Structure formats: structure tokens, C-alpha cells
Amino acid sequence: MKRIMIVMGTRPEAVKLCPLVRELRSRGKHEILVLSTGQHRAMLDSALEAFSVKPDFDMDVMQTGQTLSEVTAKIVRRTDELLGAEKPDLVLVQGDTTTAFAAGLAAFHRQIPVGHVEAGLRTYQMRSPFPEEFHRQAISLFADYHFSPTVTAKKNLIREGKQASRVFVTGNTVVDALRITLTEKKPRLPWSFPEGHRVIVFTAHRRESWGAPIRGMLRALRRIVETHPNVTAVFPVHHNPQVRAAAREILTGVPRVRMIEPPEIVSFHHLLARADLILTDSGGIQEEASALGVPTLVMRYSSERVEGLRTGVLKLVGGSEEGIFSTADRLLSEGSEEYLTMKKPSSIYGKGRASAAIADVLDRVI
Ligand code: UD1
Ligand code: UDP
């Protein structure tokens, strides 16, 4: 029996790692330790609670207004201490956050093998998304096992010189999460919308969008609902103070825009499944939309979710007010053919068995 430490700190990491925690614990072959860095607080806790995962350790690092370097330094130092005390045989990190990078780096320094879940996503533009593209590339440098969601992601890693025998195509665990939330769990929020209304789900939080870009996105949403009287928009406002201030300023009092606290993952997945159109700069939501087949405008200039762009369910519209508004306006027009061609569910990110595939690999390699 080996000791595996699974590290998470933000909402998307909890959503994507809880299914793996469940899978590994149900197999009972290894001792599973869950470390929360607490990079997020309310948003992380609500995702953990939805999957009934209770961290064994919580560093509680979140402070309002902290810089990237402060969070990185705190997580590296505290993870190092914990690794010294707990001595796991493997550390698993997910994705591209400060938590994943800093905890992975601490494990590397202690020469503990690192497994990277969702490995090989790339835009190859170091500041887009920022700082996530750097984190992904850096984690790939020190990770020992790379769990790629798709063949495209694996090819990126092979091109960068990784040994093929260390890169495993598993699907994305976010589809496992969707399977659990939509089939096993009941949403807390009873979503209801006026008869005949089309539902837009809007989210924005990326660091490179702070300031003028996010304000343009919010103005685009305002124009969309003002132009289409039979549209209701739901906007769960990310806890980041930068996002909150801009949202309050531009959308307060706008009819048919429901600005709400971020719902827990079960309710949020049920909302996505009901949505007619999604406007987002989120990474995870691009994958969920692809699985569900909900037409999605990606409010960014580049995306590492190239598979979803290829199938057509995602459209890259950039961050300008005009680009976002005009594309949404076109798609919402009566009988839009373009809209119908986007509305296709697909299994490009897997069929909800990624956690099992990762657990199978771990049984072989550690
Ligand atoms: C982080 C990740 C980003 C990921 C996003 C998911 C980094 C550098 N960024 O961005 O990759 O897409 O999470 O949502 O790792 N806050 C709260 N409560 C919460 C969460 C956040 O109050 O539950 C506020 C705090 O003031 C905090 C701030 O939001 O300081 C920013 O949080 P941080 O984790 O630094 O960055 P995010 O923008 O959330
Ligand atoms: N999510 C959620 N509630 C919300 C908004 C998002 O549970 O109000 C989930 C979403 O379904 C996805 C994850 O949070 O699984 C994505 O998180 P986020 O967009 O914050 O980060 P990213 O994926 O861009 O790193």
C-alpha cells in the first residue's frame, strides 16, 4: 500500500479531483491523503462538500489581495513542511493553478514523484492565460507521470520531449464529475425561468481580463439582454474582488440579469445542462459545455481547449464588447442555423471514466 497525497486549492481542482479521490478510496489499494491549500475558501469548500470530501490537511492560505508570489511562497513552504512529516510516495496535482505549481514544486524539491492530472494543455502564449500557461509548462518539466485528457494534449508533451511511456491519455475527470452531479445528486437550487425564455449562463474571472476587458464583457451581456427580451442571463459572480466590483458597477439593476453567489457544483451543472448559450472565460466550463453540447462563446483570444473549438460547440470570440455582442446576437436570432450546428454533445473529453483510467495507471506504475 502506497501513500498518495492529492493536492487541491481552488474550485476547479476540487471539481476535477474529487471524483479521483472517490475512485481511489473505493478501490482501497492505497492510502489517500487530501491536502487543501485553501487558495480559495468558500468556492473550494462548497465543491468539496458536494462530493463529501473532507481534506486531511488544510493550509488555509487565502487572504484578500494577496499577490501571486505571496501565495506561491506560502504554499511551497508549507507543503515542504508537510511532505517532510507525512512522506507520501506520490503527490498528485491538477491543472494550472498556483496550488498545483507550488505544491508540485515542493514535492519535486523533496524528490517525491509527481503525477499531473490534466497534463499537456497549451496555448504556447506565456501570458495567455496568465499565469496558468506558465504553470502548466513548468509542472510538465518536473512531473513524472502525465495524465493527458486527450490525444492532442499527449502530442504536445511528446513534442516537448516527454517519454511516451510516462504520458497516459485518460479523458478529463471533469466529465466524471458531470456524471456524478447530473445522475447521482439533486441540485439545491430549483432553477426556474419564465416560459419561452432562453437561458444564458455568464462567467468571467481570468486575471488577464481584469480592468477594461472584463468591463467590455459585462457591457456585452447587458446589451444582449436589452436586445433580446426573451433572454434571462444567470451570472454567478466569482468571489474575486476585481470581478465583483466591475459586475456591481455595470450590471446592478439590469432586468433579466440574475447576479448570484456562485452555486455549488451540483446546482451549477444542472444549470449548464439547462442553458441555451454560455458566455465564459473559464477553462472547466469549456469542457463541460463540450460534453453537454451547449453552444459556448469563449471570451478569450486563445484557448487550450482546442478539441471543443474543433467540434464547433465552442467559438472563440475574443474579449471585445462588440465581438461578444454581435456573435451572441446572431446566434440568438430566430432559427439561426449557426446555433444549431454548435449544439452537439460530444465525448472529446471522455465518457466519465477518467478517474478509473488514472487509478488503473497508478496501480501499474507506483
Ligand atoms: C484562481 C486560479 C485560476 C483559476 C481560478 C478558478 C491561480 C493563479 N489562479 O484564480 O487559474 O482559473 O482560481 O476560479 O491559481 N476569493 C474569495 N473566496 C474564494 C475564492 C477567491 O474571497 O472562495 C477571492 C480572494 O480575495 C482571493 C481572490 O479571490 O484573494 C483571488 O483568488 P486567487 O486564487 O488568487 O485567484 P483566482 O482569480 O480565483
Ligand atoms: N463552477 C461552479 N459554480 C459556479 C461557477 C463554476 O461550481 O458558480 C464550476 C464549473 O462547473 C467548473 C469549475 O467551477 O467545474 C470551473 O471553475 P472556474 O471557472 O472558476 O475555473 P477554471 O476552470 O477557469 O480554472
Side-chain angles (χ1 to χ4, degrees), residues 222-344:
R222 191 173 66 195
R223 278 173 70 188
I224 294 163
V225 291
E226 282 169 357
T227 312
H228 295 271
N230 65 344
V231 160
T232 296
V234 183
F235 175 16
V237 189
H238 192 285
H239 278 253
N240 197 308
Q242 301 274 346
V243 178
R244 299 216 143 192
R248 257 197 312 272
E249 182 196 319
I250 294 173
L251 292 174
T252 298
V254 176
R256 288 175 289 106
V257 175
R258 298 185 191 171
M259 282 199 284
I260 58 171
E261 285 300 313
E264 38 67 42
I265 188 69
V266 180
S267 297
F268 189 71
H269 277 171
H270 281 261
L271 173 66
L272 289 184
R274 161 66 183 86
D276 296 290
L277 185 66
I278 298 171
L279 273 61
T280 192
D281 65 2
S282 161
I285 295 174
Q286 293 180 58
E287 294 152 350
E288 291 159 347
S290 300
L292 295 167
V294 183
T296 295
L297 305 187
V298 181
M299 300 184 292
R300 293 170 49 178
Y301 292 98
S302 61
S303 173
E304 53 299 288
R305 270 71 179 189
V306 290
E307 303 83 356
L309 291 172
R310 256 186 243 131
T311 63
V313 69
L314 309 178
K315 220 183 253 304
L316 204 56
V317 290
S320 80
E321 175 184 339
E322 198 48 46
I324 297 164
F325 170 75
S326 60
T327 313
D329 185 41
R330 212 169 59 229
L331 292 176
L332 289 167
S333 64
E334 227 21 73
S336 161
E337 282 289 321
E338 188 183 0
Y339 176 83
L340 291 176
T341 59
M342 292 175 76
K343 200 173 160 63
K344 275 196 212 107

Side-chain angles (χ1 to χ4, degrees), residues 22 37 48 69 103 111 132 151 164 169 188 206 296 342 349:
R22 251 173 62 135
T37 62
L48 288 168
S69 293
Q111 304 209 45
E132 291 83 359
V151 172
V169 178
R188 270 195 214 153
R206 298 241 82 85
T296 295
M342 292 175 76
Y349 294 111

Side-chain angles (χ1 to χ4, degrees), residues 95-235:
D96 52 21
T97 64
T98 299
T99 288
F101 166 66
L105 183 64
F108 172 73
H109 285 157
R110 284 207 176 249
Q111 304 209 45
I112 297 170
V114 175
H116 186 202
V117 177
E118 199 179 272
L121 273 61
R122 297 287 186 269
T123 61
Y124 291 110
Q125 296 175 41
M126 202 47 95
R127 286 182 172 72
S128 175
F130 172 84
E132 291 83 359
E133 178 69 11
F134 164 73
H135 287 157
R136 290 176 192 141
Q137 294 197 26
I139 295 168
S140 296
L141 291 175
F142 57 63
D144 299 272
Y145 306 108
H146 312 265
F147 300 103
S148 289
T150 64
V151 172
T152 305
K154 174 171 180 169
K155 281 185 184 157
N156 289 338
L157 291 167
I158 301 298
R159 210 178 319 112
E160 291 170 20
K162 297 292 156 209
Q163 272 176 37
S165 60
R166 294 293 183 109
V167 186
F168 309 91
V169 178
T170 59
N172 196 309
T173 54
V174 82
V175 186
D176 306 23
L178 265 179
R179 193 169 46 80
I180 296 167
T181 54
L182 293 181
T183 63
E184 291 179 23
K185 310 256 180 191
K186 288 254 169 304
R188 270 195 214 153
L189 295 177
W191 300 110
S192 96
F193 299 97
E195 184 78 20
H197 267 223
R198 281 173 298 169
V199 174
I200 292 183
V201 176
F202 179 99
T203 80
H205 73 277
R206 298 241 82 85
R207 211 164 266 265
E208 63 274 15
S209 307
W210 291 359
I214 205 162
R215 295 161 64 83
M217 294 172 193
L218 297 166
R219 279 197 302 269
L221 179 64
R222 191 173 66 195
R223 278 173 70 188
I224 294 163
V225 291
E226 282 169 357
T227 312
H228 295 271
N230 65 344
V231 160
T232 296
V234 183
F235 175 16

